Amino acid sequence: MHRMLLGTTLIVLFLVGSSSAASAAKTADSDPRTAPPAKRLEVLVERIKLEQSKVKTLEAQFVQHQESSLLAAPETSTGAFSYSAPDKVRWEYLTPNPISVVIQGDTMTTWYRDLNRAETVKVGRYSAQVFKYLGASGSMKSLLEYFAATLHASTQKGTPYRLDLIPRYARVAKRLKSMRLWIDDEKFFPVRLEFVDGEGDRTEYELKDLKLNGPIPAARFVLDLPPGVKAEVIDLNRGAKKNG
């Protein structure tokens, strides 16, 4: 559960983190490949911020790879991802196990369809802590205050930029040991994310067929559970749990 929340936090941060279009506009036409080496990372960050500032909705197909001590073997999942500003997210896992995950504000509901079971988690305090530790005030610039970044930029067009991120502080490394981010060199939009959490488990997301700022029906972010589904409510703020 915490790993899914962490993954969602990272995806939303990198893909749709809020930023000021005005502050990024000055580098809108800059090319990180042709910028002086000492300025390439700064130019790339500003371009990402500019594109982030335009995003109101996002839809994509995703492939998720997981390697965990809790899994007998590495696992690959596929499905669809939806986002609507400022705080609505839906993961629809299709294979290998059908799972629906909807986040609205500080509540995350997960429906394990094949198990006929659902779980609603109040993630307010935990989510806030994750964003705080990741420096997620809404900009890549603040993120880099918490992580040391190395930029890998191929001179060949069509090759994504790659950012390797290592925590600067031990309190961050307890939750997140490392991250790697691939950024499309034309759209300046993240298309792949890999992270290793504090327990050493590795998760990778690849986003495909991105659709930006198209209409998404409000019902997409409403999870109607059928009668008979066992529901459990967990409050991470209090450590409370109750069945419904």
Side-chain angles (χ1 to χ4, degrees):
M1 176 181 63
H2 287 196
R3 188 172 297 111
M4 184 176 293
L5 178 57
L6 177 58
T8 296
T9 301
L10 290 171
I11 288 289
V12 174
L13 168 64
F14 286 129
L15 295 183
V16 292
S18 62
S19 59
S20 170
S23 65
K26 60 184 179 181
T27 55
D29 297 323
S30 301
D31 186 347
R33 298 189 197 280
T34 59
K39 292 287 187 179
R40 287 175 185 168
L41 179 59
E42 177 184 349
V43 171
L44 178 62
V45 168
E46 291 300 316
R47 288 298 302 269
I48 294 172
K49 287 167 59 179
L50 175 65
E51 299 308 319
Q52 286 178 330
S53 69
K54 302 174 183 177
V55 176
K56 303 302 179 184
T57 66
L58 168 68
E59 296 178 274
Q61 303 300 308
F62 74 84
V63 179
Q64 174 189 292
H65 302 284
Q66 279 190 304
E67 296 177 8
S68 170
S69 58
L70 300 178
L71 297 173
E75 183 175 277
T76 297
S77 303
T78 63
F81 173 81
S82 304
Y83 167 85
S84 180
D87 59 4
K88 296 179 181 179
V89 176
R90 179 162 186 155
W91 295 96
E92 194 68 32
Y93 287 82
L94 301 177
T95 64
N97 302 309
I99 301 173
S100 298
V101 183
V102 171
I103 299 177
Q104 290 206 51
D106 65 353
T107 300
M108 177 172 74
T109 300
T110 305
W111 177 16
Y112 304 93
R113 292 172 178 265
D114 56 340
L115 299 178
N116 203 37
R117 180 171 65 86
E119 181 178 81
T120 296
V121 183
K122 301 294 184 180
V123 297
R125 182 182 302 172
Y126 178 84
S127 182
Q129 288 177 345
V130 170
F131 274 96
K132 178 181 178 181
Y133 291 147
L134 294 180
S137 63
S139 74
M140 289 289 291
K141 182 177 180 180
S142 61
L143 181 78
L144 296 179
E145 294 176 2
Y146 287 76
F147 292 84
T150 302
L151 172 61
H152 301 269
S154 170
T155 57
Q156 183 177 357
K157 287 189 176 183
T159 303
Y161 298 101
R162 195 186 86 205
L163 277 177
D164 291 343
L165 302 166
I166 301 297
R168 297 182 185 272
Y169 308 106
R171 70 180 186 276
V172 180
K174 287 181 180 180
R175 292 186 182 274
L176 203 58
K177 290 185 176 180
S178 66
M179 289 187 288
R180 181 168 286 176
L181 184 68
W182 286 261
I183 301 158
D184 186 274
D185 67 335
E186 292 185 358
K187 297 180 179 178
F188 292 95
F189 211 75
V191 292
R192 185 177 165 198
L193 166 69
E194 176 188 273
F195 67 88
V196 178
D197 68 18
E199 298 176 356
D201 295 340
R202 174 185 168 274
T203 304
E204 178 184 328
Y205 294 93
E206 183 177 359
L207 299 183
K208 303 178 179 180
D209 302 325
L210 273 67
K211 298 178 181 178
L212 297 173
N213 298 329
I216 299 180
R220 178 79 55 83
F221 304 101
V222 176
L223 201 55
D224 292 322
L225 301 176
V229 172
K230 181 180 179 181
E232 181 179 54
V233 178
I234 301 172
D235 190 341
L236 293 183
N237 299 315
R238 299 179 180 178
K241 180 184 296 187
K242 63 182 181 179
N243 293 325

